[in-house]
Amino acid sequence: EEEEEEEEEKKPRKPWNKMTKEDWDRLEREAEGPGEPWKPPEPPSEPFDPQNPMAYIKGTKKGKPAMMFANLNKIKDEETGKYRDRTKEETEEVSFRHKSLMQSGHLDATPYVIDPNKILWTVQDGSKGYEVKEFLMLQPEVEEFEWDQQKTHKSTWKPEAEL
């Protein structure tokens, strides 16, 4: 801490209106620092095959973390007979069951209950997101799946095997 204070004291402090071009250039160099310059993302290593476009799409997501949302359906209340949102505990129970089933199939996804009836799923390899989607959409509790701002509702979804 003492060294940092000494460094700050050594730097000349000038009012903004008295700064010279050299002062501004020095500040710009300091702000840029030794960091690496921005690089555009690498193109997918998978060549595009019109017969199998999903392989290319999966390649664009490979190795990058991804977040997805699953909305669960409402459940029938045993006392009133009306449909209601799940409690947080009920949603956590569903997410735990889904995570356990995915792990048994060697699919690593982490659930976070963010609302009653809504689970945030994360994967470290975005190309696995398609498997997570496929699995979750086959579960009776999942009504809607959202990934990259694209929502898929159970009523309009078709399993990949049928495409």
Side-chain angles (χ1 to χ4, degrees):
E1 286 182 28
E2 289 177 21
E3 289 178 26
E4 289 178 31
E5 288 175 14
E6 287 176 25
E7 271 186 46
E8 285 184 40
E9 289 176 24
K10 290 179 186 176
K11 290 184 181 178
R13 297 181 184 255
K14 286 185 178 178
W16 292 108
N17 61 354
K18 304 255 191 229
M19 297 279 284
T20 64
K21 173 144 177 42
E22 291 80 31
D23 293 329
W24 288 111
D25 290 343
R26 179 181 52 79
L27 283 173
E28 194 173 312
R29 281 192 307 277
E30 287 175 9
E32 287 175 2
E36 292 186 28
W38 179 83
K39 294 179 191 170
E42 292 287 322
S45 58
E46 187 76 32
F48 183 72
D49 176 11
Q51 301 299 317
N52 187 8
M54 276 309 285
Y56 180 79
I57 293 169
K58 285 180 184 179
T60 63
K61 304 213 180 263
K62 188 164 185 65
K64 300 174 191 167
M67 296 188 319
M68 299 145 258
F69 297 93
N71 291 322
L72 305 181
N73 58 9
K74 295 185 180 217
I75 57 175
K76 196 170 193 175
D77 192 310
E78 293 175 10
E79 293 173 14
T80 64
K82 295 181 180 179
Y83 284 92
R84 64 168 176 82
D85 284 338
R86 297 167 193 273
T87 63
K88 186 174 182 189
E89 290 76 25
E90 290 168 329
T91 304
E92 285 173 348
E93 186 180 310
V94 170
S95 71
F96 179 77
R97 187 170 64 249
H98 289 174
K99 179 179 174 57
S100 298
L101 288 168
M102 282 190 228
Q103 283 180 326
S104 69
H106 304 288
L107 184 56
D108 188 26
T110 307
Y112 301 93
V113 174
I114 55 175
D115 278 330
N117 287 11
K118 192 166 197 169
I119 304 169
L120 164 67
W121 289 91
T122 61
V123 289
Q124 293 306 311
D125 181 0
S127 64
K128 299 288 184 192
Y130 294 96
E131 294 174 47
V132 172
K133 177 182 179 179
E134 184 89 10
F135 171 81
L136 289 173
M137 291 302 288
L138 289 169
Q139 302 311 304
E141 302 92 350
V142 176
E143 193 166 280
E144 185 179 68
F145 184 85
E146 182 179 350
W147 185 19
D148 286 344
Q149 299 166 352
Q150 292 184 351
K151 293 183 179 184
T152 306
H153 197 272
K154 182 152 294 184
S155 62
T156 59
W157 177 74
K158 288 187 173 73
E160 218 177 281
E162 291 180 18
L163 297 176

